[in-house]
Amino acid sequence: MRKIADNFCGYLKVGDDKYTYYVSDNIVTLLPAQSDNRKIYKSFDRICNRDIERPEYLFGEDNGGMIAILRNGKFSTSGMGFSPVIKFATPIIIKARGNAQGFFSMMTEPWEKFHAITFYGGNINALCDPGLAIQPLDVDQYLKYDGTREIRMRPWSDYTRSIDFRIGNEKVTLTFSIRQDGGTNGIEHQGTYNLGNLNSFIRFSFENAQHFDRIQECYLIAKKLIAILTSQNNVYFEGYLSQKNSDDKFFETGICKIFDRYDNYSTRKCHNVIPIFSIFDYLPNLL
């Protein structure tokens, strides 16, 4: 699974104006993408007078494809307005999972919509050990000392459960399972081959496509659920978005980077938390 870099740059649109941007962690710095000084300050004035009461996603691009950055607070500028630099803090950044024709041809909705959002890894792994997806070795396999080892995955039905509930007027299916990331090799692994990894996940899937505006609500529901089962608030996990293709199967459309205020995270293991399957039938009432 790719991740969004801590620092990157590109172009964003705010209203009808285009800006260059630079992201450093959760701070976004904007400059009007104009060469004429008069146009620069007109663009700067428009963003300074923009209605900021309602949160909004600002769309643009970086070197790798489409990007969306949530603004839910005020723009910050220099006190006297002599410098046309604008800054704001963002809680969520979304990057498109692809940028080639094959990626866009699979999409059944505009990119800024999704049918499912999946949260995986981090403290979610403590709620159900991802190793549950691996078929235990036979005794005779342990007795071999010739370097032979077989890794077999159990079928998804052995460790996947789903239950329905509602968010507002929308029917939602919550699925808990374990995802398998395939092996990779390359320069970033210094020539080694990575057999892949396993992560437990929670997925919210909707009957109707949802706009990016719904991401924060789903994140807060997942975070509170994990915090309750972990008995700590400083929990962490990753996230990504999916759409249904023409065959009604999910494919990933966006990687999510969600910021929080914590400097460190809970390290509680599975024996120090409430296992999610022990309360799974009660989740609709809890949620």
Side-chain angles (χ1 to χ4, degrees):
M1 171 65 69
R2 292 187 301 167
K3 293 186 178 181
I4 298 175
D6 292 331
N7 304 285
F8 62 94
C9 59
Y11 292 95
L12 277 182
K13 284 201 73 176
V14 183
D16 295 325
D17 293 308
K18 192 173 185 179
Y19 296 82
T20 62
Y21 72 85
Y22 175 72
V23 171
S24 178
D25 293 324
N26 73 319
I27 302 301
V28 184
T29 302
L30 302 174
L31 277 170
Q34 303 282 351
S35 57
D36 181 79
N37 203 52
R38 183 166 168 269
K39 291 181 178 179
I40 288 174
Y41 278 93
K42 279 192 173 182
S43 180
F44 177 70
D45 288 340
R46 280 191 290 270
I47 199 170
C48 288
N49 293 313
R50 187 173 179 80
D51 179 15
I52 59 170
E53 293 301 315
R54 298 178 62 184
E56 62 181 338
Y57 275 93
L58 304 176
F59 293 89
E61 59 188 38
D62 69 353
N63 291 330
M66 295 182 296
I67 202 88
I69 301 176
L70 176 60
R71 180 209 56 77
N72 64 354
K74 66 179 182 178
F75 292 111
S76 176
T77 60
S78 62
M80 301 298 292
F82 293 137
S83 174
V85 177
I86 306 103
K87 293 186 179 184
F88 67 94
T90 180
I92 300 176
I93 298 175
I94 306 159
K95 181 176 172 60
R97 193 65 176 85
N99 59 7
Q101 182 58 38
F103 170 74
F104 294 108
S105 64
M106 287 192 296
M107 297 181 72
T108 54
E109 298 283 348
W111 178 64
E112 61 271 17
K113 290 191 174 183
F114 63 95
H115 290 106
I117 180 167
T118 303
F119 302 110
Y120 70 95
N123 295 104
I124 299 176
N125 287 338
L127 306 184
C128 176
D129 182 5
L132 183 66
I134 300 176
Q135 182 72 38
L137 292 177
D138 295 331
V139 174
D140 59 343
Q141 291 286 326
Y142 284 107
L143 298 178
K144 288 184 178 180
Y145 294 97
D146 61 354
T148 302
R149 186 177 182 185
E150 184 181 41
I151 300 174
R152 297 182 61 189
M153 306 301 298
R154 298 169 64 190
W156 283 310
S157 58
D158 284 2
Y159 48 83
T160 300
R161 291 190 65 183
S162 296
I163 200 165
D164 294 333
F165 71 106
R166 303 193 77 83
I167 298 179
N169 295 322
E170 292 288 339
K171 179 184 175 183
V172 187
T173 298
L174 184 146
T175 300
F176 192 94
S177 187
I178 298 167
R179 58 174 280 127
Q180 307 168 14
D181 290 327
T184 58
N185 61 0
I187 296 175
E188 65 271 21
H189 298 293
Q190 296 184 337
T192 62
Y193 189 88
N194 177 7
L195 293 176
N197 54 61
L198 300 172
N199 280 296
S200 297
F201 71 79
I202 297 173
R203 172 178 292 146
F204 298 84
S205 52
F206 296 82
E207 286 187 332
N208 303 308
Q210 304 294 302
H211 191 270
F212 283 174
D213 294 342
R214 190 129 237 174
I215 293 174
Q216 197 163 26
E217 183 178 10
C218 294
Y219 166 76
L220 290 174
I221 292 173
K223 180 182 181 299
K224 290 177 181 178
L225 172 62
I226 297 163
I228 289 172
L229 299 181
T230 309
S231 298
Q232 288 191 256
N233 282 323
N234 58 333
V235 294
Y236 168 78
F237 45 87
E238 305 276 359
Y240 65 90
L241 305 175
S242 304
Q243 284 189 15
K244 289 181 180 179
N245 61 18
S246 56
D247 295 326
D248 208 34
K249 294 181 179 179
F250 289 123
F251 73 99
E252 296 175 27
T253 55
I255 311 163
C256 300
K257 187 166 190 173
I258 302 174
F259 298 93
D260 56 49
R261 65 182 186 277
Y262 302 115
D263 294 325
N264 52 58
Y265 298 100
S266 169
T267 57
R268 290 193 172 183
K269 305 301 181 184
C270 56
H271 57 277
N272 294 129
V273 304
I274 300 173
I276 194 164
F277 287 147
S278 68
I279 53 93
F280 201 83
D281 292 334
Y282 306 99
L283 281 178
N285 289 333
L286 179 60
L287 295 171

